[in-house]
Amino acid sequence: MTKRKRYLLCGHGESLPMAEDGTTSLSSVLEELAVEVCAEAVSARRRVNEEHFDFVWVSCCEGAEPINLAAACKRDSPQTAVYLVTADRTGSVASRARAAELDGIVSPAELGEHLLKEAARNVDGDGGDGESVALALPDSEGVRQALSAAKAPEENRAGFLLTVVSGSGGAGKSTVATLTALLGARRGLRTALLDADLQFGDLAALMGDAPSVPVEEVVRTGAVPDGLSEAPLVLVSAPRALERSEVVAASMGSVVDVLVASFDFVIANTGGGWDDVHLLLLERAAASLFLVDQRASSVRACRHALDLCLRCGIATGSFLLAVNRCTRHAPFTSIDVSSALDGAHVAELADGGREVEELLGAGMAQSLVEASSPLCISIEGVLDELLPLASHPASAGVQAPLARIGLAPKTDAGLRGKQRKRKGRVSRREAALAKGAS
């Protein structure tokens, strides 16, 4: 006799309509199918880690956005079928679900209907072998439509949102975000650079005469001006007046919706102090670039910020950590920062030297890209890891992107070579210290 399948519902049961006439109670259906219910995100994720479930449905849990909780559950237990339960079938939601490798999207009504049918089969004795209890959600029409939205032609596909953050100010976010936008546009992607440092953003000065629109204009009109929507690169600049920042912050979600619907690639730069805008952008991003610089305080701030993300229920699987301003004699390498952050994969961004500061200060960021600055070359490597397949030009010189958006595996040949060399130096230092101690 086949073992009966196990189910976990992450959310409030009342969000699932069971029957239009209300004659069938939710509790009886869940009891019949032995569905375990968790209404709190932390508890739900703990159960996924502790027990094996054949199906996990993520609805409106407390403590985390459903898409983030679903992504975390799928990452924790890849063999489990994880579905997002939502009535939102927009391209943005489907793109995020696909990036997280979820098994599908199903509406509350569809899930309720499936549960009713399976409960009825059990009552009739057809579900005794356990096989018929497995919901055929991957083949449902709603799931096919939602997932196909992420694979639709370009005009129907939501843009890829990359958020650039750091634990503290001065890590180089503005520089990296600006160059990333220019490099994305050079790859043929229609690109928007959003200055989400709403109080002290200065990307307008770094971008020179690039086409731009103030973020408050996007908030007011709910759209990008017609003359800019088809431009290869558009800057959405910070508010002109400091006092408008709070008003814009309250509408940042709608700004992101407009941009990802209008552009292929959206880069969001953030400020040094963490607030609700940071959390919103991290929740909405397909990937996030987390910068650390050459200060010990920056590494500590990074750890504090990552802890904050976990406490807020933000899945960190799509974060790529990068240590900035790396030179041969820099205090920190990727190995050092990785050790301080419990072995997380950390990329390296080269120090562009005085040239970077001078050209950016003069609003000539494009010149850095054209001159193939060492910093630009290292950012290109990061883009190879982060951007989905469709964003890469078909050339032999471009590294194959990762199959999954998230922390990169430590298998790159160049990185292995650097690690072997540095590990050799570290081991010799340790040997010398041990000899001196003896």
Side-chain angles (χ1 to χ4, degrees):
M1 183 174 181
T2 306
K3 184 179 179 181
R4 185 165 182 169
K5 294 185 180 294
R6 299 190 62 190
Y7 307 98
L8 176 65
L9 172 62
C10 307
H12 299 286
E14 57 268 21
S15 65
L16 302 179
M18 288 289 103
E20 292 184 2
D21 58 6
T23 57
T24 305
S25 69
L26 172 69
S27 59
S28 63
V29 172
L30 298 182
E31 182 178 356
E32 176 64 34
L33 296 177
V35 177
E36 183 174 339
V37 180
C38 281
E40 201 275 325
V42 175
S43 299
R45 190 174 179 188
R46 184 184 300 117
R47 292 297 296 150
V48 170
N49 279 278
E50 292 174 346
E51 302 289 344
H52 167 72
F53 292 95
D54 298 285
F55 289 86
V56 174
W57 303 299
V58 181
S59 183
C60 51
C61 260
E62 297 177 2
E65 186 181 1
I67 182 63
N68 286 328
L69 177 58
C73 290
K74 188 63 178 179
R75 187 180 69 251
D76 293 341
S77 183
Q79 74 278 7
T80 302
V82 179
Y83 294 88
L84 180 66
V85 182
T86 177
D88 185 356
R89 298 300 180 87
T90 62
S92 175
V93 172
S95 295
R96 296 176 68 191
R98 184 165 176 255
E101 297 186 349
L102 300 186
D103 294 87
I105 303 173
V106 61
S107 72
E110 288 170 335
L111 179 55
E113 180 181 354
H114 276 292
L115 292 174
L116 277 173
K117 289 180 179 178
E118 296 306 325
R121 287 178 183 176
N122 274 10
V123 171
D124 295 337
D126 296 333
D129 61 357
E131 288 300 320
S132 62
V133 182
L135 304 189
L137 296 181
D139 299 324
S140 70
E141 183 64 25
V143 172
R144 286 201 302 271
Q145 291 176 355
L147 290 183
S148 65
K151 305 176 184 178
E154 182 175 352
E155 60 270 18
N156 297 323
R157 186 172 63 229
F160 185 94
L161 174 62
L162 172 66
T163 299
V164 181
V165 298
S166 68
S168 59
K173 295 185 298 296
S174 297
T175 296
V176 171
T178 298
L179 296 177
T180 299
L182 290 167
L183 292 168
R186 193 169 73 161
R187 292 181 176 220
L189 301 173
R190 290 183 299 110
T191 303
L193 175 58
L194 170 62
D195 196 347
D197 184 356
L198 300 179
Q199 293 185 326
F200 302 107
D202 62 348
L203 296 190
L206 304 185
M207 291 291 290
D209 58 356
S212 65
V213 57
V215 66
E216 60 262 41
E217 181 70 12
V218 178
V219 171
R220 184 181 67 83
T221 62
V224 177
D226 292 337
L228 298 179
S229 59
E230 295 302 320
L233 174 60
V234 174
L235 168 66
V236 181
S237 59
R240 294 192 180 101
L242 182 64
E243 59 271 18
R244 296 179 183 174
S245 60
E246 292 186 3
V247 176
V248 173
S251 303
M252 186 55 67
S254 61
V255 172
V256 171
D257 288 338
V258 169
L259 296 181
V260 298
S262 305
F263 295 90
D264 302 315
F265 188 27
V266 180
I267 301 94
N269 182 52
T270 58
W274 280 58
D275 52 24
D276 289 342
V277 171
H278 276 71
L279 301 181
L280 181 145
L281 290 172
L282 289 172
E283 286 180 339
R284 299 288 299 275
S288 300
L289 182 59
F290 207 118
L291 294 182
V292 179
D293 62 27
Q294 296 297 325
R295 300 169 295 171
S297 60
S298 179
V299 180
R300 290 193 295 269
C302 173
R303 192 174 190 93
H304 291 322
L306 291 173
D307 288 342
L308 173 64
C309 291
L310 294 175
R311 292 197 301 273
C312 292
I314 298 175
T316 58
S318 61
F319 286 15
L320 176 62
L321 306 176
V323 56
N324 198 12
R325 305 187 180 106
C326 290
T327 64
R328 183 174 182 180
H329 302 292
F332 295 130
T333 67
S334 59
I335 305 300
D336 299 318
V337 176
S338 175
S339 298
L341 299 176
D342 302 325
H345 168 64
V346 180
E348 289 189 358
L349 298 182
D351 187 353
R354 188 172 180 178
E355 179 185 35
V356 171
E357 183 177 351
E358 291 177 347
L359 291 178
L360 284 178
M364 300 173 62
Q366 183 64 42
S367 298
L368 283 171
V369 174
E370 294 171 353
S372 296
S373 162
L375 175 57
C376 292
I377 293 174
S378 58
I379 293 175
E380 284 274 19
V382 169
L383 290 180
D384 287 337
E385 291 192 13
L386 292 179
L387 287 177
L389 180 61
S391 70
H392 290 275
S395 66
V398 176
Q399 175 187 343
L402 298 179
R404 174 175 179 162
I405 299 300
L407 296 184
K410 303 177 185 178
T411 56
D412 181 80
L415 178 61
R416 287 200 303 268
K418 293 178 181 178
Q419 288 176 335
R420 282 197 294 267
K421 292 178 182 179
R422 286 173 180 146
K423 285 181 179 179
R425 291 199 296 268
V426 171
S427 63
R428 287 195 293 271
R429 279 203 306 268
E430 291 177 345
L433 289 172
K435 183 177 180 181
S438 61

